[in-house]
Amino acid sequence: MALPLLTDSARPTPHELGHEQTEYTDLLRQFDQPGACVVCLDPSLTVQQANREFFRQFDDASTDVCGRDFCDLLHPSVRQAVKRQFTRLLDGSRHRFTTHVVAIGAEGAAFTSGLTAVAVREGSAHVASILVVLRPTAGGEEVDMVTDRKKLLTETEARILEGIAAGLSTIPLASRLYLSRQGVEYHVTRLLRKLRVPNRAALVSRAYSIGVLNVGCWPPKVVDDFVK
């Protein structure tokens, strides 16, 4: 059964938020801005209800979105970093956070968005729900990222890409991966061709820009979704 859309009556009150009136007012200001996607999550980060703009941006059918893990609506490259932020909300380390994400909208189109999340608490500790406001940036324009879980890289190519992103040269990479120097160079050439770039610096930049490398992760890590 689909949950109702998030309407004015579904907004949390200042008492429910448990925060200062100024922060609540700021949240409502974002709520009322045209184009704002507002969604309510339970503590497991499952979508419970949302406003019409959220459903329009992600999928016109509310039954297809409600009940899904919110992080599944984000690009794989940013999920780990965002999950860490949500964990800090849930454990009480903070009561709100703001960040930028890449989300996957209707028909698999990626777009950049500002995200603000606020923990709604029962009493002084227990998090009852999380209110999230998404504001698509740059007019909500689409970005060039891999979104359809293509298995772009072999295991060896993924490890080499991670090594290059970490600043390793050919000889250390060869030693780490038990390859010859020529073997490393062969795989690097394949990577350059796959990502259509001229050199190693551009390779790393391109890998981050299309979401093949995880954001906010060190040492660099290729998103598992794109490894054969």
Side-chain angles (χ1 to χ4, degrees):
M1 179 178 177
L3 290 169
L5 297 177
L6 191 62
T7 61
D8 289 353
S9 62
R11 300 182 188 184
T13 66
H15 175 72
E16 290 172 324
L17 282 172
H19 307 314
E20 296 181 358
Q21 178 69 35
T22 53
E23 292 200 33
Y24 175 71
T25 302
D26 178 64
L27 183 65
L28 286 192
R29 189 179 300 118
Q30 294 184 66
F31 187 107
D32 291 328
Q33 288 176 353
C37 300
V38 185
V39 57
C40 184
L41 313 178
D42 68 14
S44 69
L45 307 184
T46 299
V47 175
Q48 297 299 302
Q49 52 184 339
N51 67 348
R52 288 182 175 84
E53 181 62 24
F54 181 89
F55 290 123
R56 186 195 68 79
Q57 188 72 58
F58 287 94
D59 198 319
D60 289 336
S62 61
T63 53
D64 292 337
V65 179
C66 287
R68 290 187 61 184
D69 187 325
F70 176 75
C71 290
D72 285 347
L73 303 176
L74 304 179
H75 192 271
S77 64
V78 302
R79 286 176 192 162
Q80 285 187 340
V82 174
K83 283 182 178 180
R84 286 196 294 269
Q85 299 267 34
F86 277 123
T87 297
R88 296 184 66 189
L89 281 186
L90 293 167
D91 67 15
S93 299
R94 62 194 310 179
H95 64 265
R96 70 180 289 165
F97 71 86
T98 299
T99 188
H100 282 85
V101 298
V102 178
I104 307 299
E107 300 181 358
F111 63 94
T112 58
S113 178
L115 181 154
T116 299
V118 177
V120 182
R121 301 183 183 277
E122 289 182 350
S124 59
H126 175 67
V127 175
S129 60
I130 298 174
L131 191 65
V132 176
V133 178
L134 287 168
R135 291 282 304 164
T137 58
E141 63 184 17
E142 295 181 10
V143 294
D144 180 21
M145 297 189 78
V146 182
T147 61
D148 56 0
R149 300 178 183 271
K150 293 179 181 176
K151 301 298 185 181
L152 289 178
L153 308 177
T154 65
E155 185 72 28
T156 299
E157 289 170 343
R159 302 295 82 83
I160 288 176
L161 177 57
E162 291 167 352
I164 293 173
L168 296 180
S169 59
T170 298
I171 294 177
L173 273 173
S175 176
R176 173 183 289 190
L177 299 174
Y178 304 102
L179 295 172
S180 66
R181 180 172 182 172
Q182 292 75 17
V184 171
E185 293 295 345
Y186 167 77
H187 288 293
V188 170
T189 299
R190 283 177 55 87
L191 284 167
L192 296 177
R193 288 174 179 169
K194 281 187 178 184
L195 274 65
R196 300 187 299 278
V197 291
N199 54 52
R200 296 187 182 202
L203 176 67
V204 174
S205 179
R206 175 71 171 160
Y208 273 116
S209 71
I210 65 174
V212 172
L213 284 167
N214 273 300
V215 174
C217 180
W218 188 266
K221 175 68 175 172
V222 169
V223 177
D224 291 338
D225 300 57
F226 306 127
V227 181
K228 295 177 183 178

